[in-house]
Amino acid sequence: MQSSETVRRIEELRRIIKENNEAYYVYDSPKITDFEYDELFRELKRLEKENPELITPESPTQNLGDKTLEGFKEITHKYRLYSLDNSNNFDDLRKWYERVKKEYPKENDLELVVELKIDGLSCALSYEKGKLKLGATRGNGIIGENITENIKTIKSIPQELSKPIDIEVRGEVYMPVSSFERLNEDNIENGIKEFANPRNAAAGSLRQLNPEVTGKRDLHFFAYTAITPNSKEFDTHKQALDLLSELGFTVNENHKKAQGIEEVIEFCKKWETERFNLDYATDGMVIKINDIAKQNELGYTSRAPKWATAFKFPPEEVWTKLKDIELSVGKTGAVTPVAILEPVQLAGTIVKRASLHNFDEINRLGINVGNEVLIKKAAEIIPKVIRKRDYEDLGEYKAPDECPICHTKLVKPEGEVILYCPNSLNCPAQIKGKIEYWASKEAMDIDGIGGSIVDKLWTNNLVEDFADLYKLTIDDFMKLDLIKEKSADNLYNAIQNSKNPSMTKFLTALSIKLIGKETADLIANEFPTLNDIKNAKVEDLIKIDGIGEKAALSITEFFDDENNKRILKKLEEYGVTPRGSVVERISNIFEGKTFVITGTLSKPRNIFEERIKQLGGKTSSSVSKKTSYVLAGENPGSKFDKATQLGVIILSEEDFIRLSEGNINEQKF
Ligand code: AMP
Ligand code: ZN
């Protein structure tokens, strides 16, 4: 039974969906999130299913509408490009599988292929005798836009295949997340409107009437469908993917052949979280029947194949209310705003806080406490605020003028966007921040000393600065109300065992402004002892490659400061002495050579570092063109890839030993 209420709602849903189709597909500028769109779409489908007499051919559930931009030539696709049905829960996936399985009652589990659903722009590419003839957007699936010239600017799309066959290839054009962020930074700087997400950036870049603009954007292509009308090249989808690779396309490696739906679900669960480690956006997984003969038997509905479906990930973006803006004061006194939110589900977790970067950013977004804001799960753990509702204006948020902790008037150094509390000597937030940083993994790496223990030490008046960690006794720790596994003994031992750090760790741990681990490493490489560093002048420091004037000044200021002198003296009294990192030379065979170490070696890294220095070489923690060798152990990290990219010589431990004994000619590598 249909009520006038239902009729009204259906019309309303169709109108909203059509408007958003246009905003999304034609202008690459969505007004609602993909999740909201899918919800509306599902609601419309459900209402139409309950009231089939109300279905019209114009409904967006039956037809994708007009999706081409004026200015491009329209082309009629040789083979229709369908959409995909989707669900956002595993039960619906199981139901889809049951429906398909019913067609094959005699078979055991069916063979499926599950792959990532890349959130880009789908394109169809036609090749004749192995030569690229036409590139087109999906459009409404029947008619698309001819974007051949733009397609030709994408390096991962071959213009000539490795075999002279006729083939139509479909896949997704996308922009890596890192390039999207860079593009948006440039846009902000140039006063151009930002793209809402990598998909829109990819679509906006590809659908440029001037292909030169497209050529300047970092676009890539993953191929996922092959149609070969004139020859039978494959029997399964998996074989089609292998053929695409062989022809010269990039096929996304994160796919899997699965037996039945449960294996698919396991794979989906894995990628629900792992997708955040990828440098491209994904909005779900696509599940396809592997056997092409079965695909043909199952066929299509008016808008989607019956032999495939998509699982959509929980939303990465969601609207919620900005309840408050909390101010946090870091170890260098930087005051940063943090959004306190009405808790919401986002990408599978409940989110209560989001990052706002700085006060200029708040004003740029035009947000204030009380606004509804869109938050997004980014690669980082803490999500960020993207924008507010256009229509909601609650006035400008006023940045604080005093430190929320010690109430000192804040300062904004020239040319910086960040506000600082200048009271580094007495501001509890800064002192606690420095103690916590001293103990952190990147610095002295003292196990068990984190924010909550530092808080307790502070409120019990047991420490005034990080040097005081070394005067703490087991009894002191017993006074704190500790969680079981962090026993007083362990904390005490961890601190005492950290008294002889490398010079790099020690310098890093001091929280000197502008001096992170890498800069600390450069300095440690150059000066034999802490005294030499204390006595170094700006002109000595800037001689070091990689140290600029600002950093040099920051170092000399730090060691001239009376309070810092007092802390350093205390450290010395407690027996905290960095190991001099300049070791006695025994030969010059590595003179002028810089080494970077990655992966696990048979002995601790510092043994190799020392050996390099004894032989006149230097070590560094990052790979650049200036790196002479990368010494790679087991499971090497990204430094290995970077070295390969730059053509830096890579040594195994064995190579290294032979090289250091002088019985290998380096030309051999
Ligand atoms: P939808 O846009 O939600 O209807 O989903 C269908 C779209 O998913 C297709 O048109 C493709 O653009 C896109 N897609 C992304 N990755 C894949 C993939 N691995 N297989 C098939 N389609 C994909
Ligand atoms: Zn303060």
Side-chain angles (χ1 to χ4, degrees), residues 590-617:
F590 286 168
E591 176 77 48
K593 304 280 187 213
T594 307
F595 288 75
V596 173
I597 304 181
T598 178
T600 314
L601 298 160
S602 66
K603 295 185 200 80
R605 270 192 199 180
N606 59 346
I607 294 192
F608 288 88
E609 286 168 354
E610 205 155 300
R611 182 85 186 138
I612 291 164
K613 285 171 188 161
Q614 280 177 338
L615 300 177

PDB file of all heavy atoms in Angstrom, residues 590-617:
ATOM      1  N   PHE A 590      87.186   4.661   3.929  1.00  0.00           N
ATOM      2  CA  PHE A 590      85.828   5.153   3.684  1.00  0.00           C
ATOM      3  C   PHE A 590      85.777   6.676   3.632  1.00  0.00           C
ATOM      4  O   PHE A 590      84.700   7.268   3.706  1.00  0.00           O
ATOM      5  CB  PHE A 590      84.859   4.649   4.764  1.00  0.00           C
ATOM      6  CG  PHE A 590      84.511   3.185   4.637  1.00  0.00           C
ATOM      7  CD1 PHE A 590      83.856   2.522   5.683  1.00  0.00           C
ATOM      8  CD2 PHE A 590      84.821   2.461   3.493  1.00  0.00           C
ATOM      9  CE1 PHE A 590      83.528   1.174   5.588  1.00  0.00           C
ATOM     10  CE2 PHE A 590      84.498   1.112   3.385  1.00  0.00           C
ATOM     11  CZ  PHE A 590      83.856   0.467   4.430  1.00  0.00           C
ATOM     12  N   GLU A 591      86.919   7.301   3.543  1.00  0.00           N
ATOM     13  CA  GLU A 591      86.986   8.765   3.484  1.00  0.00           C
ATOM     14  C   GLU A 591      86.009   9.305   2.427  1.00  0.00           C
ATOM     15  O   GLU A 591      86.014   8.852   1.279  1.00  0.00           O
ATOM     16  CB  GLU A 591      88.426   9.158   3.138  1.00  0.00           C
ATOM     17  CG  GLU A 591      88.662  10.648   2.951  1.00  0.00           C
ATOM     18  CD  GLU A 591      88.737  11.407   4.264  1.00  0.00           C
ATOM     19  OE1 GLU A 591      89.478  10.937   5.154  1.00  0.00           O
ATOM     20  OE2 GLU A 591      88.049  12.434   4.404  1.00  0.00           O
ATOM     21  N   GLY A 592      85.168  10.262   2.844  1.00  0.00           N
ATOM     22  CA  GLY A 592      84.246  10.891   1.898  1.00  0.00           C
ATOM     23  C   GLY A 592      83.024  10.056   1.546  1.00  0.00           C
ATOM     24  O   GLY A 592      82.229  10.442   0.705  1.00  0.00           O
ATOM     25  N   LYS A 593      82.877   8.897   2.188  1.00  0.00           N
ATOM     26  CA  LYS A 593      81.723   8.043   1.865  1.00  0.00           C
ATOM     27  C   LYS A 593      80.661   8.159   2.957  1.00  0.00           C
ATOM     28  O   LYS A 593      80.982   8.165   4.148  1.00  0.00           O
ATOM     29  CB  LYS A 593      82.150   6.570   1.787  1.00  0.00           C
ATOM     30  CG  LYS A 593      83.273   6.324   0.798  1.00  0.00           C
ATOM     31  CD  LYS A 593      82.754   6.257  -0.627  1.00  0.00           C
ATOM     32  CE  LYS A 593      83.849   5.836  -1.588  1.00  0.00           C
ATOM     33  NZ  LYS A 593      83.706   6.462  -2.893  1.00  0.00           N
ATOM     34  N   THR A 594      79.411   8.233   2.524  1.00  0.00           N
ATOM     35  CA  THR A 594      78.309   8.284   3.487  1.00  0.00           C
ATOM     36  C   THR A 594      77.489   7.003   3.391  1.00  0.00           C
ATOM     37  O   THR A 594      77.106   6.595   2.297  1.00  0.00           O
ATOM     38  CB  THR A 594      77.398   9.485   3.201  1.00  0.00           C
ATOM     39  OG1 THR A 594      78.216  10.638   3.158  1.00  0.00           O
ATOM     40  CG2 THR A 594      76.356   9.650   4.280  1.00  0.00           C
ATOM     41  N   PHE A 595      77.221   6.399   4.539  1.00  0.00           N
ATOM     42  CA  PHE A 595      76.473   5.151   4.602  1.00  0.00           C
ATOM     43  C   PHE A 595      75.106   5.371   5.245  1.00  0.00           C
ATOM     44  O   PHE A 595      74.987   6.160   6.182  1.00  0.00           O
ATOM     45  CB  PHE A 595      77.215   4.119   5.477  1.00  0.00           C
ATOM     46  CG  PHE A 595      78.455   3.553   4.846  1.00  0.00           C
ATOM     47  CD1 PHE A 595      79.615   4.304   4.768  1.00  0.00           C
ATOM     48  CD2 PHE A 595      78.466   2.251   4.362  1.00  0.00           C
ATOM     49  CE1 PHE A 595      80.770   3.780   4.202  1.00  0.00           C
ATOM     50  CE2 PHE A 595      79.613   1.712   3.795  1.00  0.00           C
ATOM     51  CZ  PHE A 595      80.766   2.474   3.708  1.00  0.00           C
ATOM     52  N   VAL A 596      74.121   4.644   4.758  1.00  0.00           N
ATOM     53  CA  VAL A 596      72.824   4.613   5.444  1.00  0.00           C
ATOM     54  C   VAL A 596      72.515   3.142   5.727  1.00  0.00           C
ATOM     55  O   VAL A 596      72.729   2.287   4.866  1.00  0.00           O
ATOM     56  CB  VAL A 596      71.708   5.225   4.581  1.00  0.00           C
ATOM     57  CG1 VAL A 596      70.347   5.032   5.237  1.00  0.00           C
ATOM     58  CG2 VAL A 596      71.972   6.706   4.350  1.00  0.00           C
ATOM     59  N   ILE A 597      72.076   2.869   6.966  1.00  0.00           N
ATOM     60  CA  ILE A 597      71.799   1.483   7.336  1.00  0.00           C
ATOM     61  C   ILE A 597      70.294   1.244   7.388  1.00  0.00           C
ATOM     62  O   ILE A 597      69.547   2.073   7.896  1.00  0.00           O
ATOM     63  CB  ILE A 597      72.435   1.141   8.702  1.00  0.00           C
ATOM     64  CG1 ILE A 597      73.940   1.439   8.638  1.00  0.00           C
ATOM     65  CG2 ILE A 597      72.193  -0.320   9.081  1.00  0.00           C
ATOM     66  CD1 ILE A 597      74.697   1.131   9.903  1.00  0.00           C
ATOM     67  N   THR A 598      69.842   0.123   6.840  1.00  0.00           N
ATOM     68  CA  THR A 598      68.416  -0.227   6.943  1.00  0.00           C
ATOM     69  C   THR A 598      68.283  -1.729   7.186  1.00  0.00           C
ATOM     70  O   THR A 598      69.195  -2.493   6.859  1.00  0.00           O
ATOM     71  CB  THR A 598      67.646   0.207   5.668  1.00  0.00           C
ATOM     72  OG1 THR A 598      66.281  -0.194   5.797  1.00  0.00           O
ATOM     73  CG2 THR A 598      68.210  -0.417   4.409  1.00  0.00           C
ATOM     74  N   GLY A 599      67.180  -2.121   7.786  1.00  0.00           N
ATOM     75  CA  GLY A 599      66.939  -3.555   8.020  1.00  0.00           C
ATOM     76  C   GLY A 599      67.707  -4.095   9.218  1.00  0.00           C
ATOM     77  O   GLY A 599      68.414  -3.370   9.924  1.00  0.00           O
ATOM     78  N   THR A 600      67.548  -5.389   9.465  1.00  0.00           N
ATOM     79  CA  THR A 600      68.157  -6.021  10.637  1.00  0.00           C
ATOM     80  C   THR A 600      69.468  -6.690  10.252  1.00  0.00           C
ATOM     81  O   THR A 600      69.506  -7.526   9.364  1.00  0.00           O
ATOM     82  CB  THR A 600      67.207  -7.095  11.207  1.00  0.00           C
ATOM     83  OG1 THR A 600      65.905  -6.516  11.266  1.00  0.00           O
ATOM     84  CG2 THR A 600      67.637  -7.547  12.581  1.00  0.00           C
ATOM     85  N   LEU A 601      70.518  -6.320  10.955  1.00  0.00           N
ATOM     86  CA  LEU A 601      71.833  -6.906  10.699  1.00  0.00           C
ATOM     87  C   LEU A 601      72.143  -7.931  11.787  1.00  0.00           C
ATOM     88  O   LEU A 601      71.420  -8.036  12.776  1.00  0.00           O
ATOM     89  CB  LEU A 601      72.890  -5.804  10.677  1.00  0.00           C
ATOM     90  CG  LEU A 601      72.667  -4.753   9.567  1.00  0.00           C
ATOM     91  CD1 LEU A 601      73.399  -3.475   9.868  1.00  0.00           C
ATOM     92  CD2 LEU A 601      73.084  -5.317   8.220  1.00  0.00           C
ATOM     93  N   SER A 602      73.244  -8.652  11.634  1.00  0.00           N
ATOM     94  CA  SER A 602      73.545  -9.717  12.593  1.00  0.00           C
ATOM     95  C   SER A 602      73.981  -9.161  13.953  1.00  0.00           C
ATOM     96  O   SER A 602      73.936  -9.855  14.961  1.00  0.00           O
ATOM     97  CB  SER A 602      74.625 -10.631  12.039  1.00  0.00           C
ATOM     98  OG  SER A 602      75.827  -9.892  11.923  1.00  0.00           O
ATOM     99  N   LYS A 603      74.423  -7.915  13.974  1.00  0.00           N
ATOM    100  CA  LYS A 603      74.811  -7.272  15.242  1.00  0.00           C
ATOM    101  C   LYS A 603      74.092  -5.927  15.327  1.00  0.00           C
ATOM    102  O   LYS A 603      73.611  -5.438  14.307  1.00  0.00           O
ATOM    103  CB  LYS A 603      76.325  -7.020  15.254  1.00  0.00           C
ATOM    104  CG  LYS A 603      77.158  -8.286  15.244  1.00  0.00           C
ATOM    105  CD  LYS A 603      78.637  -7.925  15.392  1.00  0.00           C
ATOM    106  CE  LYS A 603      79.520  -9.038  14.914  1.00  0.00           C
ATOM    107  NZ  LYS A 603      79.661  -9.082  13.440  1.00  0.00           N
ATOM    108  N   PRO A 604      74.029  -5.329  16.545  1.00  0.00           N
ATOM    109  CA  PRO A 604      73.353  -4.033  16.642  1.00  0.00           C
ATOM    110  C   PRO A 604      73.954  -3.007  15.676  1.00  0.00           C
ATOM    111  O   PRO A 604      75.142  -3.040  15.369  1.00  0.00           O
ATOM    112  CB  PRO A 604      73.600  -3.604  18.090  1.00  0.00           C
ATOM    113  CG  PRO A 604      73.893  -4.862  18.817  1.00  0.00           C
ATOM    114  CD  PRO A 604      74.525  -5.799  17.852  1.00  0.00           C
ATOM    115  N   ARG A 605      73.103  -2.085  15.256  1.00  0.00           N
ATOM    116  CA  ARG A 605      73.527  -1.108  14.257  1.00  0.00           C
ATOM    117  C   ARG A 605      74.724  -0.275  14.679  1.00  0.00           C
ATOM    118  O   ARG A 605      75.571   0.065  13.870  1.00  0.00           O
ATOM    119  CB  ARG A 605      72.371  -0.145  13.985  1.00  0.00           C
ATOM    120  CG  ARG A 605      71.517  -0.640  12.889  1.00  0.00           C
ATOM    121  CD  ARG A 605      70.583   0.440  12.466  1.00  0.00           C
ATOM    122  NE  ARG A 605      69.492  -0.206  11.738  1.00  0.00           N
ATOM    123  CZ  ARG A 605      68.487   0.419  11.215  1.00  0.00           C
ATOM    124  NH1 ARG A 605      68.383   1.716  11.346  1.00  0.00           N
ATOM    125  NH2 ARG A 605      67.557  -0.235  10.568  1.00  0.00           N
ATOM    126  N   ASN A 606      74.779   0.075  15.994  1.00  0.00           N
ATOM    127  CA  ASN A 606      75.845   1.000  16.387  1.00  0.00           C
ATOM    128  C   ASN A 606      77.222   0.393  16.186  1.00  0.00           C
ATOM    129  O   ASN A 606      78.212   1.086  16.004  1.00  0.00           O
ATOM    130  CB  ASN A 606      75.634   1.528  17.804  1.00  0.00           C
ATOM    131  CG  ASN A 606      75.587   0.428  18.822  1.00  0.00           C
ATOM    132  OD1 ASN A 606      75.446  -0.750  18.464  1.00  0.00           O
ATOM    133  ND2 ASN A 606      75.739   0.760  20.088  1.00  0.00           N
ATOM    134  N   ILE A 607      77.304  -0.940  16.169  1.00  0.00           N
ATOM    135  CA  ILE A 607      78.595  -1.583  15.918  1.00  0.00           C
ATOM    136  C   ILE A 607      79.052  -1.302  14.482  1.00  0.00           C
ATOM    137  O   ILE A 607      80.201  -0.982  14.226  1.00  0.00           O
ATOM    138  CB  ILE A 607      78.489  -3.104  16.190  1.00  0.00           C
ATOM    139  CG1 ILE A 607      78.225  -3.269  17.689  1.00  0.00           C
ATOM    140  CG2 ILE A 607      79.745  -3.840  15.718  1.00  0.00           C
ATOM    141  CD1 ILE A 607      78.351  -4.640  18.225  1.00  0.00           C
ATOM    142  N   PHE A 608      78.078  -1.352  13.573  1.00  0.00           N
ATOM    143  CA  PHE A 608      78.416  -1.063  12.179  1.00  0.00           C
ATOM    144  C   PHE A 608      78.735   0.424  12.006  1.00  0.00           C
ATOM    145  O   PHE A 608      79.656   0.791  11.286  1.00  0.00           O
ATOM    146  CB  PHE A 608      77.259  -1.475  11.253  1.00  0.00           C
ATOM    147  CG  PHE A 608      77.139  -2.968  11.131  1.00  0.00           C
ATOM    148  CD1 PHE A 608      76.371  -3.691  12.028  1.00  0.00           C
ATOM    149  CD2 PHE A 608      77.825  -3.649  10.137  1.00  0.00           C
ATOM    150  CE1 PHE A 608      76.276  -5.071  11.934  1.00  0.00           C
ATOM    151  CE2 PHE A 608      77.735  -5.029  10.034  1.00  0.00           C
ATOM    152  CZ  PHE A 608      76.960  -5.747  10.938  1.00  0.00           C
ATOM    153  N   GLU A 609      77.949   1.247  12.712  1.00  0.00           N
ATOM    154  CA  GLU A 609      78.183   2.693  12.602  1.00  0.00           C
ATOM    155  C   GLU A 609      79.589   3.044  13.076  1.00  0.00           C
ATOM    156  O   GLU A 609      80.300   3.838  12.448  1.00  0.00           O
ATOM    157  CB  GLU A 609      77.142   3.459  13.434  1.00  0.00           C
ATOM    158  CG  GLU A 609      75.778   3.465  12.779  1.00  0.00           C
ATOM    159  CD  GLU A 609      74.650   3.955  13.694  1.00  0.00           C
ATOM    160  OE1 GLU A 609      74.908   4.199  14.898  1.00  0.00           O
ATOM    161  OE2 GLU A 609      73.525   4.065  13.198  1.00  0.00           O
ATOM    162  N   GLU A 610      79.979   2.429  14.174  1.00  0.00           N
ATOM    163  CA  GLU A 610      81.297   2.698  14.731  1.00  0.00           C
ATOM    164  C   GLU A 610      82.391   2.269  13.750  1.00  0.00           C
ATOM    165  O   GLU A 610      83.356   2.985  13.522  1.00  0.00           O
ATOM    166  CB  GLU A 610      81.443   1.932  16.047  1.00  0.00           C
ATOM    167  CG  GLU A 610      82.437   2.563  16.969  1.00  0.00           C
ATOM    168  CD  GLU A 610      82.130   2.189  18.414  1.00  0.00           C
ATOM    169  OE1 GLU A 610      81.022   2.513  18.901  1.00  0.00           O
ATOM    170  OE2 GLU A 610      82.985   1.537  19.014  1.00  0.00           O
ATOM    171  N   ARG A 611      82.173   1.100  13.175  1.00  0.00           N
ATOM    172  CA  ARG A 611      83.153   0.561  12.224  1.00  0.00           C
ATOM    173  C   ARG A 611      83.316   1.520  11.027  1.00  0.00           C
ATOM    174  O   ARG A 611      84.429   1.812  10.604  1.00  0.00           O
ATOM    175  CB  ARG A 611      82.635  -0.804  11.733  1.00  0.00           C
ATOM    176  CG  ARG A 611      83.550  -1.515  10.782  1.00  0.00           C
ATOM    177  CD  ARG A 611      84.597  -2.303  11.538  1.00  0.00           C
ATOM    178  NE  ARG A 611      85.582  -2.882  10.631  1.00  0.00           N
ATOM    179  CZ  ARG A 611      86.882  -2.906  10.848  1.00  0.00           C
ATOM    180  NH1 ARG A 611      87.381  -2.386  11.960  1.00  0.00           N
ATOM    181  NH2 ARG A 611      87.691  -3.468   9.990  1.00  0.00           N
ATOM    182  N   ILE A 612      82.191   2.036  10.531  1.00  0.00           N
ATOM    183  CA  ILE A 612      82.230   2.964   9.398  1.00  0.00           C
ATOM    184  C   ILE A 612      83.054   4.198   9.760  1.00  0.00           C
ATOM    185  O   ILE A 612      83.900   4.656   8.992  1.00  0.00           O
ATOM    186  CB  ILE A 612      80.796   3.357   8.979  1.00  0.00           C
ATOM    187  CG1 ILE A 612      80.082   2.155   8.346  1.00  0.00           C
ATOM    188  CG2 ILE A 612      80.799   4.541   8.009  1.00  0.00           C
ATOM    189  CD1 ILE A 612      78.580   2.296   8.238  1.00  0.00           C
ATOM    190  N   LYS A 613      82.821   4.692  10.979  1.00  0.00           N
ATOM    191  CA  LYS A 613      83.530   5.899  11.402  1.00  0.00           C
ATOM    192  C   LYS A 613      85.020   5.621  11.615  1.00  0.00           C
ATOM    193  O   LYS A 613      85.864   6.452  11.269  1.00  0.00           O
ATOM    194  CB  LYS A 613      82.893   6.457  12.662  1.00  0.00           C
ATOM    195  CG  LYS A 613      81.580   7.141  12.338  1.00  0.00           C
ATOM    196  CD  LYS A 613      80.803   7.525  13.551  1.00  0.00           C
ATOM    197  CE  LYS A 613      79.427   8.024  13.126  1.00  0.00           C
ATOM    198  NZ  LYS A 613      78.483   7.979  14.236  1.00  0.00           N
ATOM    199  N   GLN A 614      85.326   4.456  12.172  1.00  0.00           N
ATOM    200  CA  GLN A 614      86.738   4.095  12.354  1.00  0.00           C
ATOM    201  C   GLN A 614      87.483   4.108  11.028  1.00  0.00           C
ATOM    202  O   GLN A 614      88.661   4.412  10.963  1.00  0.00           O
ATOM    203  CB  GLN A 614      86.852   2.672  12.930  1.00  0.00           C
ATOM    204  CG  GLN A 614      86.633   2.586  14.417  1.00  0.00           C
ATOM    205  CD  GLN A 614      86.703   1.137  14.879  1.00  0.00           C
ATOM    206  OE1 GLN A 614      86.508   0.204  14.106  1.00  0.00           O
ATOM    207  NE2 GLN A 614      87.002   0.972  16.157  1.00  0.00           N
ATOM    208  N   LEU A 615      86.775   3.767   9.976  1.00  0.00           N
ATOM    209  CA  LEU A 615      87.416   3.673   8.673  1.00  0.00           C
ATOM    210  C   LEU A 615      87.272   4.972   7.880  1.00  0.00           C
ATOM    211  O   LEU A 615      87.499   5.014   6.673  1.00  0.00           O
ATOM    212  CB  LEU A 615      86.834   2.492   7.890  1.00  0.00           C
ATOM    213  CG  LEU A 615      87.019   1.132   8.570  1.00  0.00           C
ATOM    214  CD1 LEU A 615      86.348   0.031   7.773  1.00  0.00           C
ATOM    215  CD2 LEU A 615      88.487   0.792   8.761  1.00  0.00           C
ATOM    216  N   GLY A 616      86.844   6.036   8.581  1.00  0.00           N
ATOM    217  CA  GLY A 616      86.846   7.359   7.954  1.00  0.00           C
ATOM    218  C   GLY A 616      85.554   7.753   7.272  1.00  0.00           C
ATOM    219  O   GLY A 616      85.465   8.810   6.659  1.00  0.00           O
ATOM    220  N   GLY A 617      84.512   6.904   7.373  1.00  0.00           N
ATOM    221  CA  GLY A 617      83.248   7.215   6.706  1.00  0.00           C
ATOM    222  C   GLY A 617      82.271   7.922   7.631  1.00  0.00           C
ATOM    223  O   GLY A 617      82.575   8.188   8.795  1.00  0.00           O
TER     224      GLY A 617
END
